[in-house]
Every structure is written in C-alpha cells, then in structure tokens.
Amino acid sequence: MSASLINTEIKPFKATAFHNGKFVEVSDADTKGKWSVFFFYPADFTFVCPTELGDLADNYAEFQKLGVEIYGVSTDTHFTHKAWHDTSETIGKIKYPLIGDPTHLLSRNFGVLIEEAGLAERGTFVVDPAGKIQIIEVNAGGIGRNAEELLRKVKAAQYVAAHPGEVCPAKWKEGEATLAPSLDLVGKI
C-alpha cells in the first residue's frame, strides 16, 4: 500500500460469492448502512487460511450481534469456495459470504494484491456504515489473525463513531474507560 486507505470510501465493485449454499452477487451497495469486515486471504485449500476463516466462523455470531457482516475474499473463484466449503469440516461451518476475486479487482482496490503471485495478502479492513475504511491490518503470509482481537477493534471503532470527542486507549475493551483528548491531558498520560 503506497498511501493509506484510512477514512477513504471503498471503491465500487460487483462480485460473486458463495453464501449459505448459493452463489450470490455482492457489491459495494451491500455494505452501505452497516459495518463490514473485508477479510482477504491468499488462497483456498491452504494452511493458515482455514484456521483464520474457521476462527471467524466460530466468532461470527458475535460480529452479527454488533451488526457487522464479514466478507471472506480470495482471488479464487466462487466455484472453488463452494468446493472447499463442501470438502472441509472447518470451512463447512462458515456462514458469512466468501467472495471470489479472480479478476483481482477487490484485491487491487484494497491494495493487497501480490501482483506476481496473483494472490491477496492477509489484509483485514473494517468499513463503517458510510463505506469508509476505519481499520486496516495486513499480516505477512505466515502470520494468522485473531478473530477476538478483530472483534475488540470493531467494538472500539463503533464506540468512537458513536461517541465523538472520545478515543479508545491501548488494550481498550468494551465497558472500560475511554479518553477525551484535551489540553489538560497533554503530557499527563
């Protein structure tokens, strides 16, 4: 990523996803008015990827309680997503859409395409109801992500959005104290 995508609006897209046993069309319009997570991963039928996607599946109900939709995205096709879903116990439990990005449009739009490999980096993007990116995390290929930490970050982003003038300090968890930046705090933290 050459320039930060924080607070930029996601670019228009249309793609096909495998979701709840069907092929469905997904677009940027589906994200408007709600929180979304775009969870890019390199490829189906690999090693770290199913552990991450399974972890998200295990925590999906918690994301849904917060009004968050998760979109798993790789440069595989929606057909490959179905085959993986049908043959892997871990992937079989996924209830969120798995978007196929064989044209690499989404991966390029979010700045996570590894051009020479035709695969996506492990990129996570939290998008607010206005379609603006609020959180970006990109991990090296061998480093898996943690759904519970992502959930904590989403809660912080939602809190800050709902409470202008307040910010969440390091390790903030729901219900803990926040900060109200002011001249009085300068040099006292």
Side-chain angles (χ1 to χ4, degrees), residues 90-118:
T90 299
I91 301 307
K93 64 186 175 182
I94 291 175
K95 302 289 185 221
Y96 51 85
L98 292 174
I99 298 176
D101 185 29
T103 66
H104 305 161
L105 175 69
L106 275 166
S107 300
R108 276 193 187 97
N109 284 355
F110 282 87
V112 294
L113 182 65
I114 307 166
E115 291 283 347
E116 62 277 6

Side-chain angles (χ1 to χ4, degrees), residues 1-5 8-13 38 40-41 73-75 99-121 123 125 133 136 138:
M1 280 185 250
S2 58
S4 178
L5 295 176
T8 64
E9 195 166 334
I10 62 171
K11 294 177 182 176
F13 74 90
F38 286 84
F40 289 85
Y41 62 96
V73 187
S74 78
T75 58
I99 298 176
D101 185 29
T103 66
H104 305 161
L105 175 69
L106 275 166
S107 300
R108 276 193 187 97
N109 284 355
F110 282 87
V112 294
L113 182 65
I114 307 166
E115 291 283 347
E116 62 277 6
L119 303 173
E121 298 276 11
F125 299 82
I133 298 170
I136 298 171
V138 181

Side-chain angles (χ1 to χ4, degrees), residues 36-121:
S36 303
V37 171
F38 286 84
F39 197 83
F40 289 85
Y41 62 96
D44 293 358
F45 296 100
T46 56
F47 315 102
V48 176
C49 301
T51 66
E52 293 180 312
L53 296 173
D55 186 31
L56 276 175
D58 293 341
N59 288 277
Y60 185 55
E62 293 303 311
F63 285 96
Q64 290 281 277
K65 286 178 191 174
L66 296 173
V68 177
E69 184 57 88
I70 294 172
Y71 298 96
V73 187
S74 78
T75 58
D76 297 293
T77 67
H78 53 288
F79 299 111
T80 307
H81 291 332
K82 180 190 182 318
W84 197 24
H85 186 274
D86 291 350
T87 58
S88 167
E89 185 177 323
T90 299
I91 301 307
K93 64 186 175 182
I94 291 175
K95 302 289 185 221
Y96 51 85
L98 292 174
I99 298 176
D101 185 29
T103 66
H104 305 161
L105 175 69
L106 275 166
S107 300
R108 276 193 187 97
N109 284 355
F110 282 87
V112 294
L113 182 65
I114 307 166
E115 291 283 347
E116 62 277 6
L119 303 173
E121 298 276 11

Side-chain angles (χ1 to χ4, degrees), residues 130-145:
K132 292 187 177 180
I133 298 170
Q134 296 300 315
I135 295 171
I136 298 171
E137 176 184 21
V138 181
N139 293 9
I143 303 168
R145 294 161 283 182

